[in-house]
Amino acid sequence: MDFALKGDILYSKSLNKVSENARSYLVCVDGKCEGVFKKLPSKYKGIKVYDYSGNLIIPGLVDMHLHAPQYMFIGLHMDLELIDWLNTYTFPTEARYKDIRFAKKAYDIFVNDLIHSPTTRFSMFATIHNDATLYLVDKLDKIGFKGYVGKINMDRNSPKYLIEKTEKSIKDTIKYIESVKKYKNIKPIITPRFIPSCSDTLMRKLSDIVKTYDLPVQSHLSENRAEIEWVKELMPSVKCYEEAYDRFDMLGSVTSTIMAHYVWPDEKGIELMKKRNVWVAHCPSSNRNLSSGIAPVGRFLREKIKVGLATDVAGGSYLSMFRAMEDAITTSKIRKCLYDPEYYNVTIEQALYLATISGGEFFGKVGSFEKGYEFDAVVIDEKSIPTVLMKELTVLERFERFVYRAKNKVKAKFIAGKKVI
Ligand code: GUN
Ligand code: FE
């Protein structure tokens, strides 16, 4: 059904430029944007108009990296660094998803919260378990969410209660891909957890699957300094961590790839990232919580490396992409102030760019209200933040203020033209 939304419309046009449209109409035809209009053009006369006058309307936000099963311990156990955090808290929690009754309860809570959030697209990690992961896929697809969900692979350096035999890992991955084929909205993505938990044989076989099925890849890269040292020990013949993935054609040489974190780029590795067009999922909350560092996202933007924004639940301690925007801005200022004066800090315009068209490009024509983009939109109700204003604010100022006083809940949400709430 074709329709229009009426309200105060904001979207990113490019890295530093936004389009502000007070009291305007955003038209959807066949699930795609027709554009933003001051007055509804006569050819759309008679279409349904959702009147959100006085509310902000922005593109749906793109979460480039999060772990659905970890939502159950969000906000707990933030006192350790990566490897200890994984071993002490993360792996025992993920192991619970072997029990489908536990998985159903946990994923029901997670998906319900995701529905009310500003997120419309995502690239998500599940666990090694096919049954639980397929339950998650089915739920997300039925709602109309669009994005990628990966069944994790891990066959080494993992606890005995959360490890796969190499052959079984491959078999289960193929089964998973075949089972997800019937879904329209959710697609599979090849998900080796990270180099330390995947043997060379597993990586080679996953790489064959990537080529056979033409699937994208997601993993973790250069998040923590101890992790980087570990990868050097595990693969002494590679010059840098980036090359460890590239050895197996898993760094964008044959398919699109998302690498989460990338807090500590290697100077040779960063050239490889550019050459391979790899997407970095910037996870500012997680990088702070796990004392991983602050990724040089200003440098990535300047050097035209592809970057999207991510929550990395539960390294990141919230599901809200509004809060991820705030953290991208604030952590970049700390980096600039403390040890990188050359570096430019992230602005509100850039934060919106990262969370919409920049990350959105991974999913196709996503993240903008220009004609031809998929119609992903969320409506923000500022009445949830009572205030007395000193002056009238611009549309961008209102958005900025909302980001800093962020609530996760949105008033309405549309994904590819489907009204979800
Ligand atoms: N590296 C490998 N696994 C994980 C994970 O679950 N979370 C984070 N933040 N980093 C990882
Ligand atoms: Fe992660």
Side-chain angles (χ1 to χ4, degrees):
M1 198 193 55
D2 304 337
F3 61 89
L5 310 184
K6 185 180 177 194
D8 302 320
I9 298 162
L10 174 75
Y11 66 97
S12 172
K13 285 185 84 78
S14 59
L15 179 58
N16 295 308
K17 225 166 123 192
V18 294
S19 173
E20 295 177 83
N21 309 271
R23 292 175 294 282
S24 298
Y25 295 84
L26 173 64
V27 176
C28 174
V29 171
D30 287 337
K32 301 252 165 65
C33 290
E34 280 288 298
V36 177
F37 307 93
K38 202 81 216 144
K39 270 175 61 185
L40 196 61
S42 56
K43 70 171 173 174
Y44 304 120
K45 218 176 130 216
I47 65 171
K48 182 174 173 63
V49 176
Y50 293 94
D51 191 351
Y52 296 117
S53 294
N55 294 286
L56 289 171
I57 301 170
I58 60 167
L61 303 183
V62 178
D63 193 341
M64 288 292 274
H65 176 81
L66 75 163
H67 299 257
Q70 295 176 15
Y71 193 60
M72 283 307 102
F73 71 96
I74 205 166
L76 290 171
H77 319 309
M78 302 268 76
D79 55 331
L80 296 175
E81 288 200 17
L82 176 66
I83 306 299
D84 289 337
W85 175 77
L86 287 173
N87 286 320
T88 314
Y89 302 117
T90 311
F91 293 160
T93 306
E94 289 193 12
R96 299 287 311 274
Y97 287 76
K98 185 171 193 285
D99 172 3
I100 191 71
R101 280 172 315 173
F102 174 89
K104 282 182 177 179
K105 273 194 210 153
Y107 282 146
D108 285 353
I109 295 169
F110 167 72
V111 173
N112 190 48
D113 285 358
L114 194 67
I115 289 173
H116 295 281
S117 80
T119 301
T120 49
R121 306 258 167 173
F122 44 71
S123 190
M124 206 180 265
F125 280 51
T127 61
I128 60 173
H129 313 100
N130 272 23
D131 288 352
T133 307
L134 287 167
Y135 178 78
L136 175 67
V137 169
D138 188 71
K139 255 188 108 71
L140 292 167
D141 189 87
K142 280 202 179 100
I143 289 155
F145 274 115
K146 289 200 163 240
Y148 296 97
V149 175
K151 168 237 170 301
I152 289 185
N153 300 94
M154 46 202 290
D155 74 339
R156 68 171 175 182
N157 296 317
S158 307
K160 60 179 185 312
Y161 55 80
L162 191 72
I163 193 164
E164 303 167 295
K165 293 249 187 309
T166 312
E167 277 311 315
K168 170 118 172 63
S169 184
I170 292 300
K171 256 196 206 146
D172 281 356
T173 303
I174 292 169
K175 257 199 224 157
Y176 174 69
I177 296 165
E178 295 292 342
S179 307
V180 179
K181 267 189 182 157
K182 66 173 188 232
Y183 293 104
K184 192 171 123 252
N185 301 313
I186 303 295
K187 305 283 170 210
I189 181 165
I190 297 304
T191 307
R193 177 162 218 129
F194 66 159
I195 290 285
S197 40
C198 299
S199 68
D200 289 6
T201 311
L202 178 61
M203 289 298 277
R204 248 179 258 117
K205 292 190 169 176
L206 287 176
S207 181
D208 291 342
I209 292 178
V210 164
K211 289 165 192 159
T212 308
Y213 290 89
D214 190 20
L215 293 176
V217 171
Q218 61 178 355
S219 194
H220 295 94
L221 174 64
S222 301
E223 173 178 3
N224 166 289
R225 282 184 282 194
E227 171 209 10
I228 295 169
E229 287 308 307
W230 195 13
V231 170
K232 270 189 199 149
E233 283 166 29
L234 290 166
M235 288 183 73
S237 64
V238 297
K239 288 199 240 15
C240 53
Y241 196 165
E242 294 86 336
E243 200 189 311
Y245 288 107
D246 202 45
R247 276 276 169 100
F248 303 107
D249 291 337
M250 297 278 252
L251 193 82
S253 54
V254 294
T255 182
S256 33
T257 299
I258 300 172
M259 286 290 163
H261 305 293
Y262 207 37
V263 176
W264 304 98
D266 177 274
E267 286 309 316
K268 287 181 290 298
I270 205 165
E271 291 308 314
L272 198 53
M273 293 286 278
K274 280 187 224 170
K275 205 159 114 193
R276 301 278 188 252
N277 274 318
V278 179
W279 299 79
V280 175
H282 176 45
C283 310
S285 170
S286 169
N287 298 157
R288 183 184 52 210
N289 286 326
L290 302 181
S291 305
S292 302
I294 302 173
V297 66
R299 176 176 180 190
F300 297 157
L301 292 173
R302 198 164 40 211
E303 296 189 18
K304 305 253 182 315
I305 289 173
K306 291 174 182 287
V307 199
L309 195 55
T311 59
D312 190 34
V313 164
S317 45
Y318 48 72
L319 193 56
S320 168
M321 283 297 293
F322 293 128
R323 293 185 65 188
M325 283 188 197
E326 178 186 349
D327 279 339
I329 295 169
T330 52
T331 58
S332 75
K333 288 190 268 198
I334 295 169
R335 181 171 173 121
K336 179 177 176 169
C337 159
L338 289 185
Y339 59 97
D340 206 354
E342 284 296 298
Y343 174 89
Y344 67 72
N345 55 286
V346 174
T347 62
I348 186 70
E349 289 90 339
Q350 292 169 353
L352 182 63
Y353 169 80
L354 287 172
T356 56
I357 35 174
S358 187
E361 201 193 326
F362 185 80
F363 301 82
K365 288 201 93 173
V366 168
S368 168
F369 289 150
E370 303 278 341
K371 189 176 165 66
Y373 275 77
E374 293 198 53
F375 195 93
D376 291 4
V378 292
V379 181
I380 301 169
D381 180 8
E382 292 160 285
K383 287 191 210 77
S384 62
I385 305 173
T387 190
V388 181
L389 290 177
M390 281 78 74
K391 70 174 186 82
E392 198 174 334
L393 301 178
T394 64
V395 173
L396 181 63
E397 282 173 331
R398 280 168 55 196
F399 176 68
E400 182 175 25
R401 180 174 150 273
F402 190 87
V403 162
Y404 279 87
R405 299 187 62 178
K407 305 260 164 85
N408 190 37
K409 284 195 172 161
V410 294
K411 187 184 173 82
K413 173 147 126 183
F414 298 81
I415 305 173
K418 181 180 176 194
K419 191 172 190 312
V420 172
I421 48 171

